[in-house]
Amino acid sequence: MTSIEHLLVYIVLGFYAAASIIYFAGYRWNWLGIFAFWLATAGLTINLLVLISRVIQSGRLPLTNGYEFLLSFAFITVFMYIIYEAISKNNNAGGLVMLINALLIAAIIMLMPQQIGQAVPLMPALKSPWLTVHVITAIIAYSAFTLAAGLAIIQLHNAVSADDTSVYKITSSGFAMLSLSIVLGAVWAEQVWGSYWTWDPKETWALVTWIIYAIYLHLHRRRDWRGNNARILVIIGFVLVLFTFFGVNYLLPGLHSYA
Amino acid sequence: MTAGLVLLALIGIASAVGSSFWPDVFFKTLPFRVLLLLLFINMALCTINTLKRFLQHRVQISKNWRLLLRSTGLVMLHAGVVFILIGASLYSFLGHNVQLKLLEGDTAEINKVIPTDKAFSIKLNKFTIEFNEDGSPSQYYSELVVSEAGKTALTKTISVNYPLSYKGIKAYQISYGYLTDVLIRDGDAAEKTVLAEDGDFIQFTATVRAVKVFKYIPNFDPELGLETKSVEPVNPRVVYSVYNGTELLGVGAAPFGKPINIDENVTIEFQNARPYTVLFLKTDPGLPLVTSGGLLLMLGICIVLFGPSVRKKEV
């Protein structure tokens, strides 16, 4: 099972990377766009298979370690992107969004290969119904921010009009989910450790991320801040999201060191 | 709004810097607390202004359900942050917490361990660790009996994630440890048994030598040194060291029930490891406010961001 799961993870990486390259190639040859879309969908299907395999192996949702988080994070991000492309009929951000997802899967292979195929029992602190809602809302938030950042970067690069409605709507949804994740995480922390907020590095950086997006949402109401200034804030927010996951896990360990 | 955003930005930058360089002390410093206080004042004023506008235009707003919903959401989310900050301040100034160590059978009078006017006791009936197949701990259980005025008021088994709450005091399963029964034969003196904690020194009258009970290890593996192979007591040992004054004579890992010669006519014997539970006791008068604030914040944000958009001509 472990070697099959390893193989499937590599295949997901291959599909996401190939989809990214072909989306980029699609800038020159438009007809490649649909091919990239189906490659991304195929990658998403295999990503789903790996997630299902995790559920079968461990008997719980795949949300409890860094590998499972990244796998779910990539899955939700690609799923959101595919829905976005299908609705908007716009695949400009496809290359970049799929590149980010390929890098997320590559991070699993490079940083946490030992967790692939591993089914370790949960530690007592993680045995809580709050785990599911806290982590799922965090993953949806991170995915929304990734998609929003991908769109914002492409819009900045292409110097498109000031209309950034799609970026705003996706970021708003991500902000709402991040808020839920932080509050639900605090409720859980109170149950498990007796303190709803301890300024643990993960909590602190999640708050820093929340603050940048809160500032973005307020400033976006001002006409002079819409467009490129707002897009830059969305990109900074995404950098903070990445740091909250990778930077904090590897540089500032704390109570969330299992995540 | 601008002042609030500047404050938020300052708190964000300060948190990022503090978390990276001084994570243990920064968030308790006066400048950071002043920033939080200023944020509280700003958010309170913002909430009052939003509420005022809401009340001033209530007739127009109530005619437009989208606007009504959005205005309500905005008041809720800003009020939520204010509630959280007030609740956290109440805990900071009026709340208390303490760690309580209990061996099986031990009783603690609650008003002697934490400042409170509540008079009840907590007794640990039993502490158990449940293990997974791989030997890792699955759950820690403390069976607690709460007694008030000599009568049992409540019996509850708490575990990680499932605390006890009684009359405003919460008890969390936070940690555990072991004390070791040590039988001492000290020359002509009568045999005696002492209860030793990791790090305790045992002195004798028949010798100048002393023993340091270094650490109880539930599953000893020489290759792992002082780290236990698992929490399950598969191969329990007590690591000890023998001193002559300040001179270290030797270190050993003793099994239970085997006498160890320390000097002529002086032996010790580790007999048994007795588990104790560590409870985190807390009184938090701000918790209901913080919980309400969290709820308001979540609902408010969902209403404003997921609710129906307000068309410009309707504003």
Side-chain angles (χ1 to χ4, degrees):
Chain A
M1 198 69 174
T2 307
S3 56
I4 295 173
E5 198 171 312
H6 265 97
L7 182 66
L8 287 175
V9 170
Y10 275 96
I11 293 173
V12 174
L13 172 61
F15 271 108
Y16 287 171
S20 171
I21 292 165
I22 293 173
Y23 268 122
F24 280 126
Y27 285 146
R28 182 177 284 253
W29 300 288
N30 275 342
W31 57 271
L32 281 173
I34 189 68
F35 186 46
F37 178 85
W38 286 112
L39 271 176
T41 309
L44 183 74
T45 310
I46 298 164
N47 194 338
L48 177 65
L49 282 179
V50 184
L51 288 171
I52 292 171
S53 131
R54 296 297 304 163
V55 174
I56 294 168
Q57 274 184 75
S58 63
R60 57 173 186 263
L61 289 173
L63 308 166
T64 56
N65 59 23
Y67 160 54
E68 292 179 345
F69 187 95
L70 284 180
L71 207 57
S72 303
F73 178 12
F75 175 78
I76 301 286
T77 310
V78 177
F79 180 73
M80 279 184 183
Y81 172 73
I82 283 174
I83 300 285
Y84 167 79
E85 190 186 319
I87 291 171
S88 68
K89 310 288 180 206
N90 179 344
N91 66 4
N92 281 347
L96 188 57
V97 173
M98 293 313 295
L99 176 64
I100 294 169
N101 284 292
L103 291 174
L104 290 177
I105 301 294
I108 294 173
I109 294 165
M110 289 189 295
L111 301 175
M112 49 198 84
Q114 75 286 356
Q115 292 181 10
I116 301 174
Q118 193 185 49
V120 180
L122 280 186
M123 63 170 77
L126 297 182
K127 290 183 173 177
S128 167
W130 294 106
L131 168 81
T132 309
V133 285
H134 170 58
V135 180
I136 283 182
T137 46
I139 289 172
I140 296 173
Y142 281 20
S143 297
F145 294 144
T146 307
L147 180 55
L151 291 171
I153 292 168
I154 294 299
Q155 288 176 3
L156 263 179
H157 178 259
N158 294 349
V160 293
S161 68
D163 180 22
D164 57 357
T165 312
S166 53
V167 175
Y168 174 74
K169 282 185 173 173
I170 296 166
T171 306
S172 301
S173 310
F175 179 76
M177 297 313 279
L178 181 64
S179 307
L180 293 186
S181 179
I182 292 174
V183 174
L184 294 170
V187 173
W188 180 19
E190 204 283 326
Q191 285 291 99
V192 65
W193 297 307
S195 303
Y196 43 81
W197 196 263
T198 54
W199 296 104
D200 166 74
K202 188 74 98 177
E203 290 172 356
T204 306
W205 282 89
L207 178 69
V208 174
T209 308
W210 186 88
I211 285 174
I212 193 93
Y213 285 113
I215 291 172
Y216 163 81
L217 291 177
H218 282 84
L219 289 179
H220 194 269
R221 292 167 64 192
R222 297 181 182 178
R223 200 173 288 277
D224 56 327
W225 263 89
R226 287 181 196 164
N228 286 349
N229 288 337
R231 289 183 186 114
I232 288 168
L233 276 181
V234 169
I235 296 163
I236 294 172
F238 177 61
V239 172
L240 288 174
V241 165
L242 290 181
F243 186 79
T244 303
F245 185 79
F246 291 105
V248 172
N249 280 9
Y250 291 97
L251 300 174
L252 306 168
L255 291 169
H256 285 78
S257 50
Y258 43 79
Chain B
M1 189 174 80
T2 307
L5 294 183
V6 170
L7 274 172
L8 269 179
L10 284 176
I11 289 172
I13 293 166
S15 301
V17 174
S19 169
S20 306
F21 296 104
W22 314 281
D24 298 328
V25 291
F26 179 77
F27 300 102
K28 294 170 191 159
T29 57
L30 186 64
F32 190 74
R33 288 186 178 214
V34 169
L35 276 180
L36 290 180
L37 176 69
L38 291 175
L39 179 71
F40 163 71
I41 295 168
N42 181 277
M43 292 299 286
L45 290 174
C46 173
T47 308
I48 292 166
N49 286 337
T50 313
L51 199 60
K52 260 174 146 177
R53 274 202 304 274
F54 181 80
L55 294 172
Q56 275 167 3
H57 304 289
R58 61 185 179 279
V59 180
Q60 293 154 276
I61 291 172
S62 59
K63 284 179 188 163
N64 182 334
W65 69 274
R66 286 191 180 92
L67 194 54
L68 178 66
L69 204 61
R70 184 179 165 80
S71 304
T72 311
L74 280 173
V75 172
M76 284 168 79
L77 79 89
H78 288 99
V81 176
V82 174
F83 278 30
I84 290 171
L85 289 171
I86 296 174
S89 305
L90 282 176
Y91 179 54
S92 191
F93 292 113
L94 304 172
H96 298 282
N97 66 67
V98 69
Q99 290 198 5
L100 174 66
K101 203 185 277 188
L102 288 175
L103 277 167
E104 287 183 357
D106 279 358
T107 301
E109 294 298 330
I110 210 74
N111 52 15
K112 286 182 183 162
V113 290
I114 193 164
T116 176
D117 55 354
K118 309 284 186 305
F120 63 87
S121 66
I122 293 183
K123 180 185 176 191
L124 175 70
N125 261 1
K126 195 166 176 57
F127 174 70
T128 43
I129 305 175
E130 196 176 82
F131 295 98
N132 294 308
E133 279 180 10
D134 64 355
S136 61
S138 164
Q139 189 52 281
Y140 308 97
Y141 297 100
S142 292
E143 187 188 312
L144 303 176
V145 180
V146 178
S147 301
E148 202 168 358
K151 289 179 185 167
T152 300
L154 176 72
T155 301
K156 183 173 178 181
T157 300
I158 66 164
S159 55
V160 178
N161 272 305
Y162 300 93
L164 165 83
S165 182
Y166 187 76
K167 294 200 169 174
I169 292 176
K170 294 184 88 172
Y172 302 81
Q173 179 66 60
I174 201 80
S175 186
Y176 73 102
Y178 292 91
L179 298 181
T180 314
D181 283 315
V182 190
L183 175 67
I184 302 171
R185 298 185 186 93
D186 184 9
D188 296 332
E191 283 185 1
K192 65 175 179 182
T193 304
V194 296
L195 199 55
E197 195 170 354
D198 288 354
D200 279 358
F201 271 93
I202 299 172
Q203 311 279 355
F204 308 93
T205 52
T207 177
V208 292
R209 292 181 179 181
V211 171
K212 183 180 183 183
V213 181
F214 206 79
K215 193 178 180 187
Y216 165 71
I217 299 176
N219 191 2
F220 180 70
D221 182 338
E223 287 186 2
L224 297 178
L226 289 173
E227 291 301 313
T228 186
K229 201 173 174 182
S230 68
V231 180
E232 209 164 6
V234 176
N235 182 29
R237 291 282 194 282
V238 179
V239 175
Y240 66 95
S241 45
V242 181
Y243 292 85
N244 191 358
T246 53
E247 183 194 358
L248 177 67
L249 297 179
V251 178
F256 288 107
K258 190 178 168 190
I260 304 154
N261 282 322
I262 304 301
D263 206 343
E264 200 172 319
N265 292 328
V266 178
T267 64
I268 61 165
E269 183 182 323
F270 296 109
Q271 293 190 308
N272 185 31
R274 292 163 59 181
Y276 62 81
T277 190
V278 182
L279 306 179
F280 179 78
L281 299 179
K282 184 182 86 168
T283 58
D284 182 358
L287 189 58
L289 264 180
V290 172
T291 310
S292 315
L295 201 64
L296 280 173
L297 181 65
M298 284 196 301
L299 283 173
I301 284 177
C302 288
I303 289 170
V304 172
L305 297 179
F306 290 142
S309 58
V310 181
R311 285 180 222 132
K312 277 185 182 163
K313 62 180 181 182
E314 291 172 339
V315 180

